[in-house]
Amino acid sequence: MGTIKIKDDICAVGAQNPTLRIFDVVMCTEYGTTYNAYLLRGSAKTALVETCHASFFDVYLENIRELCAPSDIDYIILNHCEPDHSGSLRRLLELCPRATVICSQAGALYLQHITNLTDLRIQTVKEGDTLDLGGRTLRFLIAPFLHWPDSMFTWSEADGALFSCDFLGAHYCEPYGLDTKTVYPEKYKQALQSYYDAIFGPFPSYVRKGLEKLEGLDIQFACTSHGPVLTKGCLLEYALDRYRDWSQPAAPEKKKIPIFYCSAYGNTGLLAAAIQDVLLSRLPAAAVPLYDINEHDMGFLRGELNASDAFALGSPTFNADAVPPVWELLTHVDAVNCRKKPALVFGSYGWSGEALPNLSARLKGLKMAVYEPEVRARFVPSEAELAAAKEAALDFAKGI
Ligand code: FEO
């Protein structure tokens, strides 16, 4: 790709990864991604915003060298220290002996452990601190949980350029790097939403605070760290508007208490149906859908679980544990916003029923309010076991 001029003395020097299909082990990236970084020159100083994924260091370095000798770099600004942005820092610093790393206070802590360097030269910045490059002054806006505690924005008033790192980003890769040259804007929009859902969906109140910080800034360019640079009059307004929409608190609606389960021989399913009957009779205004996990898309179930007011989760016991689809669903829990959520565990078993305590332990680890004891039945639920399940469901409903 080489470098891309954004405007005089601001160039993109990052790397593209168009064939990436899974990011961070869990996130599908149908359109690849980019690891954007930017070189800014003032009359006195040169700054680099972000490094890049360690696997792309050679391309990144070549791009920097197109513009300057790495030894000329005075500052390396890291708006966020996840390794897709900081992964090349250690190697880069070997070539930039005089560079000072600029980051937030939380970022400094992470960088010590990411680089394992004891002589890292770091300058931490607070809200509103500035850095003068000579004719180009950068201001730092601390933006916690967008999407890590360390996150911040860097704003260049003279350029109308916002360096927003992951915020407003997308795992999307086209060759030319600017939204004005995007060939498939609809695909980009899809990628923007997927990225928002995965990265910022758990932090809507912080997104709103981040947007508030940007109000009043005359942003001409949002130089994100993934996907195209967004420009005023092209896709910038679209991205900002969607962030406003997506981060709005959901309108109050009827309570959602989904019941998720797997059932090998229908016995855990019988418990699920008994629990559903009771919840519906006790909370008639609530939605209490039954979901056999194997019959639904995991992305859909993830949304249902994370948007629920409470939920029940059932599994038979195989090999002294819950079955894999149930565990997979739990890997998608929004651990921030599901804290204190009421949860009821149930299941049929043959010998010892280890699935039940194992699931309870995991939900407690996620800080949920787990109903005790779990609802259990040995093989086919007896009348007494079904009655006990209904009693537990009634009691569970009182806590919702
Ligand atoms: Fe693109 Fe949170 O790293």
Side-chain angles (χ1 to χ4, degrees), residues 119-139:
D119 57 349
L120 198 54
R121 191 182 314 142
I122 292 187
Q123 180 181 331
T124 60
V125 291
K126 302 185 297 300
E127 176 71 17
D129 283 356
T130 57
L131 182 69
D132 185 6
L133 303 181
R136 180 172 267 131
T137 297
L138 305 179
R139 182 149 56 95

Side-chain angles (χ1 to χ4, degrees), residues 23 80 82 84-85 147 166 195 226:
F23 179 84
H80 162 50
E82 196 166 356
D84 53 326
H85 309 294
H147 65 118
D166 287 338
Y195 190 82
H226 299 291

Side-chain angles (χ1 to χ4, degrees), residues 319-346:
N319 196 25
D321 205 351
V323 293
V326 176
W327 284 122
E328 192 191 342
L329 176 61
L330 289 187
T331 64
H332 296 289
V333 167
D334 169 351
V336 175
N337 293 304
C338 286
R339 280 183 196 162
K340 299 187 179 166
K341 188 171 284 194
L344 174 70
V345 173
F346 64 95

Side-chain angles (χ1 to χ4, degrees), residues 23-24 34-35 80-85 146-148 151 165-166 171 195 199 225-226:
F23 179 84
D24 263 7
T34 65
Y35 307 108
H80 162 50
C81 298
E82 196 166 356
D84 53 326
H85 309 294
L146 294 176
H147 65 118
W148 275 16
S151 302
C165 201
D166 287 338
H171 286 314
Y195 190 82
I199 303 293
S225 291
H226 299 291

Side-chain angles (χ1 to χ4, degrees), residues 188-189 192 234-243 246:
Y188 160 75
K189 289 174 183 175
L192 180 78
C234 190
L235 287 168
L236 174 61
E237 290 86 347
Y238 175 85
L240 286 167
D241 286 346
R242 294 296 75 72
Y243 268 48
W246 296 331

Side-chain angles (χ1 to χ4, degrees), residues 202-225:
F203 305 106
S205 64
Y206 290 95
V207 171
R208 294 196 295 275
K209 282 180 195 156
L211 290 168
E212 273 170 31
K213 284 201 179 193
L214 303 184
E215 270 172 27
L217 304 184
D218 183 14
I219 304 171
Q220 302 294 316
F221 306 95
C223 299
T224 68
S225 291

Side-chain angles (χ1 to χ4, degrees), residues 156-169:
S156 174
E157 180 84 35
D159 301 300
L162 177 76
F163 299 89
S164 60
C165 201
D166 287 338
F167 197 72
L168 304 174

